[in-house]
Amino acid sequence: MGGHHKKNLRAEKAKVKLKGAKLPKGLNVTKTDFKVRKIEIREQLKESSYSETGQRQFNLKETLSRLKHHSVKFRTDAQRNVRDSLKSGNADHLIGHLNELFQGIAAGALDMEGSARKESFKTLDVLLEALQPQAVAPFFHVIATYLRCAMTHVLPAIQEDSLLMLDVLLLRVPPAFLAERSASTIIGNFIDMISRARHDNERSNRTLTLNLSQGKQTTVKWRTKVLIRLQQILSTLVTSKTPKSAAARVVHFEEMRPQYYNVLCPVRHDNRNLHAILNESKLTAEGTQLHTYVEQLLPLLQDNWMEVRPQQQQPLLNQDAAASLHVVIGLMSLLWNLIEQHEAEHNTTELSDWLRKNYAQKFLLNFLDKDGSRFPYQQIPLATKNSSKDKGAVDGGELCMPQNLGIVQLACKFFPTPVERQTQMFAHLIEYMHETLKRLNSLSPEQQLSLVASLRALLFENATSLMKIVTEPLTSLLSASIDAYVSQRFTTREGVATRVLNLLCEIVERSDLYTHFGGEQRFTPFLSYLPQLLLKPTVGESTLRAMATLCRQLNGVFMAALVRSAPEIVSHLDKLQITGDIEGQEKFENQKRVLNLFYYARELDKEGKLERSVKQLEERVESKGIADYLKAVLGYN
């Protein structure tokens, strides 16, 4: 120990000592007057920033890489960063990276963490809202592929959350675009989510599966959630194929101009294929696909209803059964609409005939019983104060109005030519329509639209055949409908009153229906009220056409009411607008169409009201054209 210490002392003494003057005081202070230069990486400054909360917002390349990161937190932060960037209006700089962006966001649908899946759906919603459909089109197959993978995933939770992704597409993607791109594949996946293929010799080729979500919700609620989305997908197909109605062509004679008229019926082009012309059974590719939809879906829908249908001793439905019935009836109606659109386009009735042959009796037994004793359905009254009655909820409300009205329409589609043994059933349906009309003032606009659709099926589409078995109830229903319209009990919202008016006008234009329902005696309240429509700010094209038909038929009740209101109609003509008229039609041409009605009614003008109207118009300079034309109409022989 002592020797080692001596060695250290000798080493210390051997060091060179720097002896000299001491430094002045104050020179050991750090100098701060030197100049510095910042190191700037412009790419980071351009694409990186900090949010208001102080959290860093990563640039685009970092965000795209973090969307694929193994950490849930990193992936969630990247999703949130994309949303913040889109909400701040920076969608333009994403255009060149949409493929990677859609890949990263849509892949979140398959994430094992539920929170990450919901974050990806939120981001997809914001992204689709910010982009135009044309920008999304090239990459839609990416979204559709991940959606199909999620819908067929082995994990029930991912399958369940795939419905949320579909909700985003239904909300943000145009219906025609969604129907064209992937509706057929998605429908097949929907069917797989609630059923499986049979491997036996049963009549139905699929059977319903049990609960998917491991006790979180009942099997009935799960199927209802799936079927509601399926109903929305079918609605996009119906909407995308709805034809646009063309306005009628009206030609007015001009003396100094050559004009050409169709003397004979114009040649109609036959758009049928060779099999339809030869009356051979051959469906098109679209018809075969639709046939497959119906063949797979209708048995499943009926089986789903039979599982929740109450026993005969307890006719009231619980909430789950009412919701199930609501979506089942809605889906069956949409399938019928698709079939009718397809058959109208291809001029065939093959699919509807097949549907009636195979499923009409099953529909009757499962939903109505043979005599209609199960109808109408009602829900068990809810004891809670916040229970909504007939507010358009998923279960249809306590009175099950959408379900019952839908069943009336389906019964008319399945049995367009009813026979004598179905008299009691249709009498029961018509009686329900009477009761619904009595509570018309308490119905919402959506419920009134369904009511009008059911009235059209009974009073117009199937009226000829129904008049043979339920004449008196059907005629009474027409009278009640006319009284409700004339007393203005139908709402004007959503075009309900206009649809009722169009229905009544179409019945009047059909001479066979007009006669069977009782002619002038039955329609007197409506015919007397009809001229009053010309005193409103607008009148529909179809209404004006029905008035012209009544005049050509020399309908005395209508023409007498027209003459009584002639002075008011003529003076109001300058303010009248015709809705749904021919594009580019001059206002004076539409006014002529109203004045032409008086050509037929002039013989009933015993008090000279039309002549006095002409004199009043001549006193007004701005109405000289109308006065001259009306004078010419009244003097024409």
Side-chain angles (χ1 to χ4, degrees), residues 278-291:
L278 298 177
N279 293 323
E280 295 179 357
S281 177
K282 177 65 177 180
L283 289 174
T284 62
E286 181 185 353
T288 303
Q289 188 178 59
L290 191 54
H291 184 280

Side-chain angles (χ1 to χ4, degrees), residues 531 555-565 601 604:
N555 189 291
V557 177
F558 170 72
M559 291 193 297
L562 185 67
V563 170
R564 285 196 298 270
S565 304
L604 300 178

Side-chain angles (χ1 to χ4, degrees), residues 86-321:
L86 290 168
K87 290 177 180 178
S88 61
N90 297 328
D92 294 337
H93 76 278
L94 301 176
I95 295 297
H97 305 272
L98 285 182
N99 186 35
E100 296 174 274
L101 202 58
F102 276 121
Q103 287 277 0
I105 295 173
L110 305 180
D111 203 297
M112 303 299 291
E113 297 292 334
S115 59
R117 291 195 297 271
K118 290 179 173 59
E119 287 291 330
S120 70
F121 301 151
K122 292 179 183 177
T123 308
L124 183 63
D125 183 26
V126 175
L127 181 60
L128 291 176
E129 184 182 14
L131 296 175
Q132 295 294 327
Q134 296 82 357
V136 180
F139 312 102
F140 187 76
H141 68 282
V142 176
I143 307 173
T145 300
Y146 279 105
L147 173 62
R148 292 195 293 269
C149 291
M151 293 177 73
T152 56
H153 204 276
V154 293
L155 290 181
I158 294 180
Q159 278 197 39
E160 187 172 349
D161 284 349
S162 68
L163 300 180
L164 301 177
M165 186 177 185
L166 182 63
D167 289 342
V168 173
L169 298 183
L170 290 168
L171 179 64
R172 300 300 179 193
V173 178
F177 185 79
L178 184 61
E180 176 187 352
R181 292 299 179 112
S182 57
S184 59
T185 308
I186 294 175
I187 290 173
N189 293 335
F190 270 125
I191 296 174
D192 290 335
M193 291 176 82
I194 60 171
S195 66
R196 59 177 174 81
R198 285 185 184 271
H199 299 288
D200 51 24
N201 295 325
E202 293 287 339
R203 289 175 294 175
S204 175
N205 58 355
R206 301 190 71 86
T207 183
L208 291 170
T209 53
L210 297 178
N211 189 18
L212 175 74
S213 53
Q214 301 175 351
K216 293 181 181 179
Q217 56 188 350
T218 64
T219 303
V220 175
K221 287 184 177 179
W222 163 248
R223 290 178 189 156
T224 302
K225 286 177 64 175
V226 175
L227 291 176
I228 286 174
R229 271 67 172 201
L230 177 58
Q231 185 178 4
Q232 293 172 324
I233 286 289
L234 289 178
S235 297
T236 63
L237 286 173
V238 172
T239 304
S240 64
K241 295 180 181 179
T242 302
K244 295 181 180 179
S245 58
R249 176 174 177 263
V250 180
V251 180
H252 296 278
F253 175 74
E254 294 184 23
E255 185 178 357
M256 305 303 296
R257 178 181 171 187
Q259 291 181 309
Y260 305 93
Y261 304 93
N262 293 329
V263 180
L264 302 176
C265 181
V267 178
R268 298 180 62 185
H269 297 285
D270 195 343
N271 296 323
R272 296 177 298 170
N273 56 30
L274 184 60
H275 295 280
I277 295 173
L278 298 177
N279 293 323
E280 295 179 357
S281 177
K282 177 65 177 180
L283 289 174
T284 62
E286 181 185 353
T288 303
Q289 188 178 59
L290 191 54
H291 184 280
T292 304
Y293 291 162
V294 176
E295 194 173 30
Q296 291 183 344
L297 273 174
L298 267 186
L300 294 178
L301 295 177
Q302 297 196 17
D303 290 346
N304 185 70
W305 165 239
M306 293 301 292
E307 285 188 7
V308 298
R309 188 180 74 169
Q311 299 296 324
Q312 190 75 29
Q313 297 80 8
Q314 172 59 271
L316 297 180
L317 306 178
N318 59 36
Q319 194 170 13
D320 288 346

